[in-house]
């Protein structure tokens, strides 16, 4: 019999954040298409979120889930409709295809310095060390 290997669990720790009240994110009649000649990926999406909201986005491959998330995070603009977010709202996102997002020519500490400037090298190393 082969020995059972149990991988260690990972505990994520997030810093305390300012509590925001009311609606923190609103999408109103949002539609998206890549260009005027392409098909509409999704249309008339309405979404409203508060600090207590828990939202799950599900759908078939190619349905526009990632595109919708990019609009929510403001890394893409909707073709039609509006996105309004609380001025202090910040997003963290780890993509399914993370390899495409990471510059492999620099070390992890440099990635952290680039993405989250203002800390000492030791602080970045401590944070990365928590992930093994």
């Amino acid at each position: 019999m082969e020995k059972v290997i149990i991988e260690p669990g990972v505990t994520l720790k997030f810093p305390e954040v300012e509590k925001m009240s009311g609606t923190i994110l609103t999408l109103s009649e949002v539609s998206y298409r890549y260009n005027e000649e392409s098909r509409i990926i999704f249309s008339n999406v309405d979404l409203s979120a508060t600090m207590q909201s828990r939202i799950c986005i599900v759908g078939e491959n190619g349905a526009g889930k990632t595109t919708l998330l990019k609009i929510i995070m403001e890394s893409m603009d909707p073709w039609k409709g509006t996105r309004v977010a609380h001025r202090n709202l910040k997003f963290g996102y780890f993509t399914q295809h993370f390899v495409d997002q990471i510059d492999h020519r620099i070390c992890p500490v440099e990635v952290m310095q680039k993405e989250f400037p203002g800390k000492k090298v030791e602080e970045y190393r401590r944070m990365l060390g928590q992930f093994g």
Side-chain angles (χ1 to χ4, degrees):
M1 290 182 68
E2 288 186 34
K3 197 175 198 179
V4 175
I5 298 172
I6 300 173
E7 293 190 25
V10 174
T11 302
L12 301 176
K13 296 178 184 173
F14 297 97
E16 289 297 317
V17 295
E18 170 192 342
K19 300 293 182 203
M20 295 178 270
S21 61
T23 302
I24 59 173
L25 176 70
T26 302
L27 297 184
S28 181
E29 298 182 11
V30 167
S31 300
Y32 189 81
R33 70 188 323 177
Y34 292 100
N35 57 50
E36 292 300 321
E37 292 81 36
S38 68
R39 69 179 175 87
I40 295 173
I41 306 299
F42 52 78
S43 61
N44 299 319
V45 173
D46 292 316
L47 177 119
S48 181
T50 67
M51 287 291 287
Q52 289 73 38
S53 297
R54 300 297 178 260
I55 299 168
C56 179
I57 300 172
V58 295
E60 296 177 6
N61 289 345
K65 299 178 299 292
T66 300
T67 300
L68 180 60
L69 284 172
K70 287 179 179 180
I71 290 170
I72 288 171
M73 294 183 306
E74 206 173 20
S75 62
M76 289 177 75
D77 295 321
W79 174 60
K80 287 186 179 175
T82 58
R83 174 200 180 274
V84 178
H86 189 283
R87 61 184 161 81
N88 294 336
L89 182 61
K90 293 182 180 131
F91 287 94
Y93 177 72
F94 189 76
T95 177
Q96 177 180 352
H97 305 288
F98 66 92
V99 173
D100 299 338
Q101 285 189 313
I102 297 173
D103 184 348
H104 295 280
R105 296 170 294 174
I106 60 177
C107 75
V109 171
E110 291 171 305
V111 171
M112 296 286 286
Q113 287 174 317
K114 182 179 169 187
E115 294 295 322
F116 309 100
K119 299 190 183 319
K120 293 181 179 181
V121 172
E122 295 78 22
E123 181 70 10
Y124 297 119
R125 289 188 185 283
R126 186 187 62 71
M127 289 179 197
L128 290 166
Q130 291 178 333
F131 293 97

